[in-house]
Amino acid sequence: MQISSALKQKFKEAKSVCVLTGAGISAESGIPTFRGGGESVVWKGMPFEQISSARMVKEDLDAVWEWFDYRRGLYKDCLPNPAHTVLAEWQERFEDFTLVTQNVDGLHERAGSENVIELHGNINHAKCENCETIYKMDAEDVPHQPTLCKNCQTKLHPNVVLFGEMLPVGSFEKATLKAANCDIFLIIGTSALVYPAAGLTEIAKSNGAYLIEVNPEETPLSDYCDESLRGKAGEILPQLGYYL
Ligand code: NAD
Ligand code: ZN
């Protein structure tokens, strides 16, 4: 994949960069995307949408935790790849840098990225629905610990946005503001079909950002982007990093 000189120039001049990542950025770390199949589609005969739903939390929180602990067990040996590492470095390189992710795997955090806007939560965090305290769990803590809120003794929930739930308060608004004010908006490893995250690209474009997609496949966004870099995130991102 040849990086054009026009793109190198864009990166040199950019002051504000906003990046949206999806499941594809973690594929090279061994975490399957949904469309790529893998463990996450059906579990114990239940479709993903059923076990990962707000309704299931009400009906059988223990089963929901069993499913999330199972996934955390699968993720714990998956390490950040060069794409996560380059993005962690970029927070020092641009005057204004924002990382927004749809992923719940916590790999950006493990690579050293700070202040990541995790639109769908983080599988290694638990939250108290009552007093809203967030507990960071160790990736090794399978099954999850703690199980009860230390402040109010309420049973903790996974801090992941489930089907039938709203996005965490403020996270989308913050991402929107950054998308609307960036020079470059980079979309990595997402088919961009899931709203409202997909709407961020429209906001960025309509406010004049240069849109770049990194994906080995064509997506519904490809024609909309100013540039599509066809390839794996773990191979393309280090090349972009090199030119800064
Ligand atoms: P998706 O599964 O619909 O699409 C993944 C995209 O990644 C595809 O367009 C695919 O072509 C691309 N891709 C595959 N390998 C890649 C690579 N090496 N480099 C770059 N791109 C690559 O995923 P989505 O639209 O991101 O996710 C839908 C929802 O599923 C999201 O809400 C996300 O939170 C959730 N999800 C998260 C994880 C995770 O946390 N790692 C994993 C699976 C799904
Ligand atoms: Zn509490």
Side-chain angles (χ1 to χ4, degrees):
M1 171 82 229
Q2 195 72 30
I3 308 290
S4 73
S5 52
L7 185 57
K8 290 181 214 168
Q9 197 55 34
K10 289 269 176 206
F11 269 94
K12 278 200 186 109
E13 289 167 3
K15 290 198 164 51
S16 172
V17 172
C18 187
V19 180
L20 171 67
T21 67
I25 196 169
S26 297
E28 290 158 85
S29 296
I31 299 182
T33 63
F34 284 167
R35 289 193 316 154
E39 45 85 23
S40 51
V41 181
V42 174
W43 187 76
K44 290 196 174 175
M46 271 182 275
F48 175 79
E49 294 83 352
Q50 188 181 338
I51 185 72
S52 270
S53 68
R55 188 172 163 194
M56 196 70 183
V57 164
K58 283 206 184 77
E59 286 173 2
D60 194 347
L61 181 59
D62 290 344
V64 173
W65 267 117
E66 208 184 311
W67 150 251
F68 274 100
D69 282 341
Y70 162 74
R71 283 176 70 198
R72 290 177 54 239
L74 293 177
Y75 289 5
K76 83 172 164 23
D77 297 325
C78 298
L79 299 173
N81 66 54
H84 297 104
T85 308
V86 166
L87 294 180
E89 287 169 2
W90 282 7
Q91 64 198 355
E92 307 295 332
R93 291 184 129 146
F94 295 101
E95 249 175 68
D96 186 17
F97 179 75
T98 307
L99 179 54
V100 186
T101 189
Q102 300 174 88
N103 294 343
V104 297
D105 56 38
L107 288 182
H108 286 306
E109 201 177 45
R110 280 171 81 180
S113 286
E114 290 164 12
N115 305 317
V116 183
I117 302 178
E118 293 172 320
L119 293 173
H120 296 158
N122 185 321
I123 201 161
N124 287 317
H125 297 173
K127 70 168 177 234
C128 174
E129 291 291 297
N130 185 38
C131 72
E132 297 187 355
T133 305
I134 303 278
Y135 292 86
K136 290 195 178 187
M137 297 177 282
D138 206 319
E140 308 289 322
D141 282 343
V142 178
H144 67 287
Q145 289 294 335
T147 54
L148 291 181
C149 176
K150 289 174 183 163
N151 301 326
C152 67
Q153 306 305 312
T154 305
K155 275 191 179 177
L156 298 177
H157 289 194
N159 188 26
V160 168
V161 178
L162 303 170
F163 288 92
E165 285 184 340
M166 310 284 280
L167 296 188
V169 180
S171 69
F172 186 68
E173 290 74 4
K174 205 169 149 194
T176 303
L177 200 66
K178 291 297 188 178
N181 288 289
C182 64
D183 306 319
I184 292 181
F185 189 81
L186 199 59
I187 306 135
I188 307 171
T190 173
S191 41
L193 295 171
V194 183
Y195 269 82
L200 291 175
T201 54
E202 289 171 13
I203 290 160
K205 176 106 172 174
S206 60
N207 283 280
Y210 194 75
L211 253 60
I212 307 160
E213 166 184 74
V214 177
N215 201 308
E217 289 176 29
E218 197 171 324
T219 77
L221 269 188
S222 299
D223 287 342
Y224 192 66
C225 287
D226 294 293
E227 216 150 324
S228 283
L229 304 177
R230 287 274 161 271
K232 294 180 175 179
E235 291 166 12
I236 302 269
L237 264 288
Q239 289 187 56
L240 286 173
Y242 178 80
Y243 292 112
L244 295 180

